[in-house]
C-alpha cells in the first residue's frame, strides 16, 4: 500500500522558514516524480512544485520561485520542501503527492494526508 | 500563471449526467494531452479520476469520463449518485513546464 506521511508543519512567524518532509513507502520511490500541492482552508488546490524521479529537474509555481526549494533523498525515500520568507498567504495544508509516472510528471495518483502550515505572529 | 477556469458550481439529480468544463489556452489545456481531473470529498484528500485528458486509473468507475476540444477540457459524470457530491478540480501541464489547477467546481446532487 502506498503511504505518504508529511511532517514538519506548524506555526511559524512571518518572514520565517520551515521544512516539510514526506516519508514515502509501499512503492519504488525513485521511480516517480513527486509534487507538493497546497490548499488554504476553504479554498482550492494550488500546485507548488515538482521534482523528477532522479532529483535532476525541478519546477515551481511563480509564488514559490526563489523562496521554496523542493528536494528528495531516494536512499531515504523522503521528499522535502524547504520554505523561506513565509507570509500569511502561505498558510495552508501542504500535500505530498506521488505522480503516476516516472516520465511525465503531470498527474498525482496518491496524496498524503497533508501538513498544516500556519504563518502568524 | 493563470488558473484554469471552471464553473463554481454545478448540480444534477440522481441518475442524470453532468459535465464540468475546464477552460485554458494553447499554452496548457490545448497544447498538451496532460489534463487531469480530481475529486475531493468533504474532509478528504483529492483522488485522481482522469489523467492524460481521458484515461482512467484502475479502480475508477467508468461513470467518469474525460474529453477535450481545443482549449476546453471536460469531465462528464454519468448516472449521478449521491456519493458523487464533492469538489472537482482540473489540472494541466503548461508550456512553462509547470502544472496549474482550475479553481474547482462544487457538485451538488439534488
Amino acid at each position: 500500500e502506498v503511504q505518504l506521511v508529511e511532517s514538519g508543519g506548524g506555526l511559524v512567524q512571518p518572514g520565517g522558514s520551515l521544512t516539510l518532509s514526506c516519508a514515502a513507502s509501499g512503492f519504488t520511490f525513485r521511480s516517480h516524480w513527486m509534487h507538493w500541492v497546497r490548499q488554504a482552508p476553504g479554498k482550492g488546490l494550488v500546485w507548488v512544485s515538482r521534482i523528477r524521479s532522479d532529483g535532476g529537474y525541478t519546477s515551481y509555481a511563480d509564488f514559490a520561485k526563489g523562496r521554496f526549494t523542493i528536494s528528495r533523498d531516494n536512499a531515504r525515500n523522503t521528499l522535502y520542501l524547504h520554505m523561506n520568507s513565509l507570509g500569511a498567504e502561505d498558510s495552508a495544508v501542504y500535500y505530498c503527492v506521488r505522480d503516476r509516472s516516472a516520465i511525465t510528471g503531470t498527474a498525482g495518483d496518491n496524496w498524503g494526508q497533508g501538513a498544516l502550515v500556519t504563518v502568524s505572529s | 500563471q493563470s488558473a484554469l477556469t471552471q464553473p463554481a458550481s454545478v448540480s444534477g439529480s440522481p441518475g442524470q449526467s453532468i459535465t464540468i468544463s475546464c477552460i485554458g489556452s494553447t499554452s496548457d489545456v490545448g497544447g498538451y494531452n496532460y489534463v487531469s481531473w480530481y475529486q475531493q470529498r468533504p474532509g478528504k484528500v483529492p483522488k485522481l479520476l482522469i489523467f492524460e485528458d481521458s484515461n482512467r486509473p484502475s479502480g475508477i468507475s467508468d461513470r467518469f469520463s474525460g474529453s477535450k476540444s481545443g482549449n476546453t477540457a471536460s469531465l462528464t459524470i454519468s448516472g449521478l449518485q449521491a456519493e458523487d457530491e464533492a469538489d472537482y478540480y482540473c489540472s494541466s501541464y503548461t508550456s512553462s513546464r509547470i502544472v496549474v489547477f482550475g479553481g474547482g467546481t462544487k457538485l451538488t446532487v439534488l
Side-chain angles (χ1 to χ4, degrees):
Chain A
E1 178 192 5
V2 173
Q3 286 203 317
L4 300 166
V5 180
E6 301 93 339
S7 60
L11 178 64
V12 60
Q13 291 193 335
S17 299
L18 202 64
T19 297
L20 302 181
S21 300
C22 170
S25 61
F27 66 102
T28 306
F29 181 71
R30 65 180 182 273
S31 295
H32 291 261
W33 284 77
M34 297 293 295
H35 305 256
W36 287 100
V37 175
R38 73 184 188 184
Q39 186 172 35
K43 302 296 185 182
L45 301 174
V46 176
W47 181 83
V48 177
S49 181
R50 66 176 184 153
I51 185 168
R52 198 171 62 194
S53 53
D54 64 358
Y57 178 82
T58 60
S59 59
Y60 298 90
D62 276 352
F63 66 83
K65 281 180 190 174
R67 296 193 303 132
F68 294 6
T69 301
I70 189 172
S71 62
R72 65 192 296 162
D73 184 338
N74 284 348
R76 296 177 183 270
N77 292 343
T78 303
L79 177 72
Y80 302 98
L81 183 69
H82 182 66
M83 302 181 288
N84 289 325
S85 303
L86 288 165
E89 67 278 7
D90 297 313
S91 295
V93 172
Y94 284 73
Y95 293 106
C96 168
V97 184
R98 185 190 84 162
D99 196 275
R100 59 173 300 280
S101 171
I103 299 172
T104 56
T106 63
D109 67 350
N110 278 271
W111 296 60
Q113 290 301 307
L116 178 61
V117 173
T118 302
V119 184
S120 175
S121 55
Chain B
Q1 296 174 350
S2 301
L4 306 176
T5 301
Q6 298 182 233
S9 64
V10 297
S11 63
S13 299
Q16 288 185 329
S17 293
I18 64 95
T19 296
I20 299 171
S21 61
C22 172
I23 303 171
S25 69
T26 54
S27 297
D28 38 63
V29 172
Y32 306 91
N33 296 322
Y34 289 133
V35 172
S36 301
W37 288 92
Y38 300 87
Q39 176 194 65
Q40 187 177 30
R41 293 189 173 115
K44 302 297 186 183
V45 301
K47 179 167 73 172
L48 179 67
L49 296 177
I50 299 289
F51 65 94
E52 293 171 7
D53 292 357
S54 60
N55 295 292
R56 277 187 307 275
S58 60
I60 298 300
S61 171
D62 60 5
R63 296 189 301 108
F64 296 93
S65 62
S67 62
K68 192 173 73 177
S69 177
N71 297 334
T72 300
S74 299
L75 173 71
T76 298
I77 308 174
S78 59
L80 209 56
Q81 300 177 2
E83 67 193 39
D84 297 331
E85 190 158 288
D87 293 325
Y88 292 83
Y89 296 90
C90 63
S91 74
S92 177
Y93 178 74
T94 82
S95 59
S96 299
R97 305 184 73 182
I98 65 168
V99 175
V100 64
F101 278 97
T105 298
K106 182 177 180 60
L107 169 62
T108 300
V109 180
L110 302 171

